[in-house]
Amino acid sequence: MSAILAKHRGMPAQDGAGVKLTRIINQPGLKHQDPFLMLDEFRSDNPDDYIAGFPPHPHRGFCTLTYMLAGTMEHKDSVGNTGAVEAGGVQWMKAAKGIIHAEMPKQVEGLMWGFQLWVNLPSDEKMSEPDWHDFPSATIPEVKTDDALVRVISGQYEQQEGPVRAPGRDFLMLDVHLGKEAFSLPSQGQKRRLLYVYQGGLTVNGELAKEGELLVLDPADTLTCTADEGARFILLAAKPIEEPIAQYGPFVMNNSGEIEQAIKDYQAGTLAANQKLS
């Protein structure tokens, strides 16, 4: 049996105040991949595609991870956190019971390129306290060989551990840059394993994968990737939460009643401690 169970391509979308992006997970052809709720790639050197950013908006019930390849995105939230994630850096935000934040480009020209990943929370953590961490590029461990680079954002690889940690529901996220050297990774036992090719093309366990494709992988196989001309990809793996998922825009809970309560709390001004960002 092939190590690749399915292939999916992202679709053009807009979010925030009109930011153009590619929606990879949580689109009609590929819904939630528990615990990964959404994966977006934004990539443009046209400021009109990104300059309006993501003005203040609410979240409840999950975490966001923003990973920048180029450009700078500024963050501000209702808890009082502020920061800017630059090329190579990561921002991790646990929205939990409620947070309002804004993500705005801190540039008026040039390439803006990165990813945002939404990671679900189990029911017993959805109404916990919000949290936020900023990890500059220098804090992301790297495993280098003669012709490959693996950046460890979350989880463990070759005795390196990524800075994004979610105790009890840890997940793997690697950014892999391949030359002509093979990349190999035995199964770590997670039932969910995904690979997104964001540059170039590669061969995955003998099968071709093209730029822009997300692969749903057999979780039990040893993963072996090669590239003739170089390639880059994001590798995700996790243990599913296996709880019901109810989503309405920026709210992800377990049932419709909890979604209705989140909407009421936001409308009443009680979802977050401070619903107006200065």
Side-chain angles (χ1 to χ4, degrees):
M1 185 176 70
S2 172
I4 301 175
L5 303 180
K7 295 181 181 180
H8 301 271
R9 298 197 69 87
M11 61 176 292
Q14 292 190 23
D15 213 331
V19 176
K20 293 184 179 179
L21 50 84
T22 299
R23 180 141 296 161
I24 304 156
I25 298 175
N26 201 20
Q27 45 124 327
L30 186 67
K31 290 298 188 180
H32 307 126
Q33 296 293 292
D34 181 18
F36 305 117
L37 299 168
M38 189 185 80
L39 178 63
D40 285 346
E41 179 182 13
F42 44 92
R43 179 180 182 178
S44 179
D45 57 7
N46 180 356
D48 292 341
D49 290 345
Y50 62 75
I51 199 66
F54 304 89
H57 57 281
H59 288 303
R60 174 177 279 181
F62 62 99
C63 303
T64 67
L65 187 155
T66 304
Y67 176 45
M68 298 298 294
L69 300 177
T72 303
M73 190 79 77
E74 190 172 44
H75 168 92
K76 183 181 294 186
D77 67 38
S78 55
V79 182
N81 300 306
T82 59
V85 56
E86 300 178 337
V90 174
Q91 177 198 106
W92 172 250
M93 186 186 77
K94 178 182 176 183
K97 69 178 184 181
I99 203 166
I100 294 173
H101 76 151
E103 301 157 291
M104 302 299 291
K106 202 175 180 181
Q107 62 188 62
V108 295
E109 60 183 12
L111 178 62
M112 180 72 74
W113 188 8
F115 299 92
Q116 185 164 100
L117 175 71
W118 287 14
V119 184
N120 202 11
L121 284 169
S123 57
D124 60 358
E125 286 193 53
K126 285 187 177 293
M127 295 301 289
S128 59
E129 293 298 320
D131 199 8
W132 175 87
H133 296 281
D134 204 359
F135 301 106
S137 181
T139 69
I140 308 298
E142 296 182 343
V143 178
K144 298 179 182 180
T145 60
D146 290 341
D147 203 26
L149 169 69
V150 180
R151 309 194 78 225
V152 188
I153 296 167
S154 182
Q156 295 184 341
Y157 174 76
E158 294 291 336
Q159 299 181 324
Q160 296 291 328
E161 185 171 3
V164 176
R165 296 187 176 99
R169 46 184 172 79
D170 302 279
F171 64 96
L172 178 72
M173 182 174 181
L174 305 179
D175 177 17
V176 182
H177 303 192
L178 281 187
K180 294 187 177 182
E181 183 175 336
F183 166 83
S184 182
L185 180 68
S187 172
Q188 295 185 350
Q190 301 102 331
K191 291 173 68 175
R192 180 78 66 212
R193 186 158 59 162
L194 308 168
L195 187 156
Y196 178 66
V197 186
Y198 69 86
Q199 186 168 300
L202 66 153
T203 300
V204 179
N205 290 40
E207 188 172 348
L208 183 63
K210 299 178 181 179
E211 182 174 313
E213 287 185 331
L214 181 129
L215 313 180
V216 180
L217 301 172
D218 187 319
D221 284 356
T222 292
L223 186 66
T224 302
C225 302
T226 58
D228 291 337
E229 301 295 335
R232 296 185 179 186
F233 61 89
I234 297 291
L235 180 64
L236 298 169
K239 178 182 178 181
I241 296 172
E242 296 181 338
E243 293 180 350
I245 297 172
Q247 179 178 357
Y248 181 79
F251 308 129
V252 182
M253 303 301 287
N254 294 108
N255 57 61
S256 59
E258 292 170 339
I259 291 292
E260 291 171 5
Q261 188 60 54
I263 295 170
K264 290 177 181 177
D265 290 347
Y266 180 58
Q267 292 173 339
T270 59
L271 179 128
N274 175 20
Q275 295 208 170
K276 295 183 178 180
L277 305 186
S278 58

